[in-house]
C-alpha cells in the first residue's frame, strides 16, 4: 500500500574522541566536508534513497561538535517531504551509546519495522485509509496479522560491492550500485547541511553551485585546530 510515514533512527554509529583525533582529516570541513552525514550515515542514506527515492524538500537540524571536539556535525535530525505526501524523520548520531538502528515504515496496508536483524511486518487486513472512512466505530483498529522474518547482515558486503566494480571494468559484468545512487545520498547529506546552516527548508534538486560556495567558505574561515593526533591501532 501507499507509504504514509517513515522513521529511521540511526544512532548506532558511536565514535569516541580518540577516533576523531586519529587523523588530521577526520571531522573537518576541508578533510571530509562534513561529519556523520559524510562519513558514517551515507551507508544508510544509500539504502534510503534506493528504497524510497529522493524527497522534494529537506529541513534539517545539525548539531556541530555536540558530543565531540570537532567542527562538523555529529548529531542530525532531518524532516523530509515527498511529492506524494509521505513524510520522513531521519535521526543520525555518533554520540549515543548504546545506539539504535530502527527503520519503521507505516503504510496503507500495515507497518514494517526493521531492527535487531529482524523484519517485523504487521499486515492490515483492510486498507487503513478505507477503514478510517467507512467504519462506524470510534476507536476500533483494522484487524492485522503479524509476520516475523529473520534478517542477517552479510559481513562480506563491502568486498562484494568492490569485487563487482572490478568485474564490471574487467569483463563488463552488470554493476550492482550505479554512480548516480552515490550522488543521490551525497545530495541528501549536503541538503541537510545547507538546511541547517541557512536555517531553512531546502528544495531538491539541490543547488550544488550554491552549496559548493558555502562549503568553500566553511573551509576558508575554519579556525578549528586539533589538539593532538592519536595514532591508530
Amino acid at each position: 500500500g501507499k507509504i504514509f510515514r517513515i522513521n529511521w533512527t540511526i544512532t548506532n554509529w558511536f565514535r569516541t574522541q580518540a577516533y576523531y583525533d586519529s587523523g588530521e582529516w577526520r571531522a573537518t570541513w576541508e578533510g571530509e566536508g562534513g561529519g556523520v552525514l559524510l562519513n558514517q550515515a551515507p551507508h544508510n542514506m544509500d539504502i534510503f534513497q534506493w528504497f524510497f527515492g529522493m524527497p522534494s524538500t529537506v529541513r534539517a537540524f545539525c548539531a556541530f561538535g555536540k558530543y565531540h571536539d570537532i567542527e562538523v556535525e555529529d548529531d542530525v535530525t532531518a524532516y523530509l517531504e515527498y511529492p506524494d505526501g509521505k513524510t520522513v524523520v531521519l535521526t543520525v548520531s555518533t554520540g549515543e551509546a548504546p545506539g539504535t538502528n530502527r527503520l519503521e515504515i507505516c503504510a496503507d496496508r500495515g507497518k514494517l519495522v526493521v531492527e535487531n536483524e529482524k523484519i517485523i511486518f504487521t499486515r492490515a487486513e483492510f486498507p487503513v485509509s478505507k477503514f478510517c472512512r467507512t467504519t462506524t466505530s470510534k476507536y476500533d483498529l483494522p484487524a492485522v496479522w503479524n509476520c516475523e522474518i529473520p534478517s542477517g547482515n552479510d559481513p562480506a558486503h563491502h568486498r562484494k560491492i568492490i569485487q563487482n566494480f572490478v568485474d564490471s571494468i574487467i569483463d563488463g559484468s552488470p554493476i550492482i550500485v550505479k554512480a548516480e545512487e552515490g550522488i543521490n545520498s551525497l545530495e541528501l547529506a549536503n541538503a541537510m547541511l545547507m538546511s541547517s546552516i541557512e536555517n531553512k527548508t531546502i528544495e531538491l534538486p539541490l543547488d550544488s553551485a550554491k552549496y559548493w560556495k558555502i562549503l568553500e567558505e566553511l573551509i576558508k574561515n575554519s579556525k578549528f585546530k586539533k589538539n593532538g593526533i592519536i595514532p591508530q591501532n
Side-chain angles (χ1 to χ4, degrees):
K2 179 182 178 181
I3 296 175
F4 298 152
R5 179 181 57 80
I6 302 158
N7 275 343
W8 200 352
T9 302
I10 315 160
T11 58
N12 62 334
W13 284 117
F14 180 73
R15 295 292 185 269
T16 65
Q17 185 64 44
Y19 167 84
Y20 289 114
D21 290 344
S22 66
E24 286 281 2
W25 59 274
R26 288 195 186 278
T28 62
W29 292 119
E30 183 176 15
E32 290 196 90
V36 62
L37 291 172
L38 273 293
N39 191 312
Q40 288 81 32
H43 299 290
N44 308 100
M45 288 191 288
D46 279 334
I47 297 171
F48 178 86
Q49 62 85 28
W50 186 53
F51 281 165
F52 309 112
M54 294 291 280
S56 53
T57 63
V58 173
R59 180 65 175 103
F61 302 88
C62 301
F64 302 96
K66 180 177 182 179
Y67 298 108
H68 308 88
D69 184 19
I70 57 176
E71 65 178 348
V72 294
E73 82 288 350
D74 56 3
D75 189 87
V76 179
T77 299
Y79 171 73
L80 288 60
E81 291 185 342
Y82 282 76
D84 65 357
K86 67 175 171 281
T87 59
V88 181
V89 174
L90 184 70
T91 305
V92 297
S93 177
T94 57
E96 298 180 21
T100 297
N101 190 335
R102 177 185 172 92
L103 172 61
E104 181 177 296
I105 306 167
C106 296
D108 202 23
R109 292 304 301 269
K111 180 175 71 173
L112 193 72
V113 175
V114 184
E115 186 177 20
N116 297 327
E117 296 190 356
K118 293 180 181 179
I119 301 172
I120 300 174
F121 179 33
T122 305
R123 174 72 166 180
E125 295 184 4
F126 199 75
V128 176
S129 58
K130 190 173 182 179
F131 181 87
C132 177
R133 295 184 178 277
T134 58
T135 182
T136 58
S137 171
K138 292 187 290 184
Y139 302 110
D140 282 352
L141 300 175
V144 300
W145 54 270
N146 295 303
C147 181
E148 184 175 312
I149 306 166
S151 174
N153 185 16
D154 186 350
H157 54 281
H158 279 86
R159 180 183 60 79
K160 289 179 179 179
I161 292 294
I162 294 170
Q163 187 61 56
N164 171 252
F165 178 70
V166 173
D167 292 343
S168 72
I169 295 172
I170 294 174
D171 57 26
S173 298
I175 196 160
I176 298 171
V177 181
K178 297 181 179 180
E180 54 264 30
E181 294 190 16
I183 293 172
N184 285 341
S185 61
L186 178 61
E187 182 176 16
L188 277 175
N190 289 343
M192 291 177 194
L193 286 168
M194 186 172 177
S195 172
S196 188
I197 291 167
E198 294 199 333
N199 194 28
K200 68 178 185 181
T201 298
I202 301 299
E203 294 186 358
L204 296 184
L206 179 69
D207 185 339
S208 57
K210 183 177 180 180
Y211 180 73
W212 178 246
K213 289 182 180 179
I214 292 173
L215 183 57
E216 284 186 316
E217 285 297 312
L218 289 168
I219 295 171
K220 178 182 176 181
N221 296 324
S222 173
K223 294 181 173 58
F224 180 79
K225 300 294 182 183
K226 291 197 173 184
N227 293 326
I229 303 302
I230 299 175
Q232 288 184 291
N233 293 327

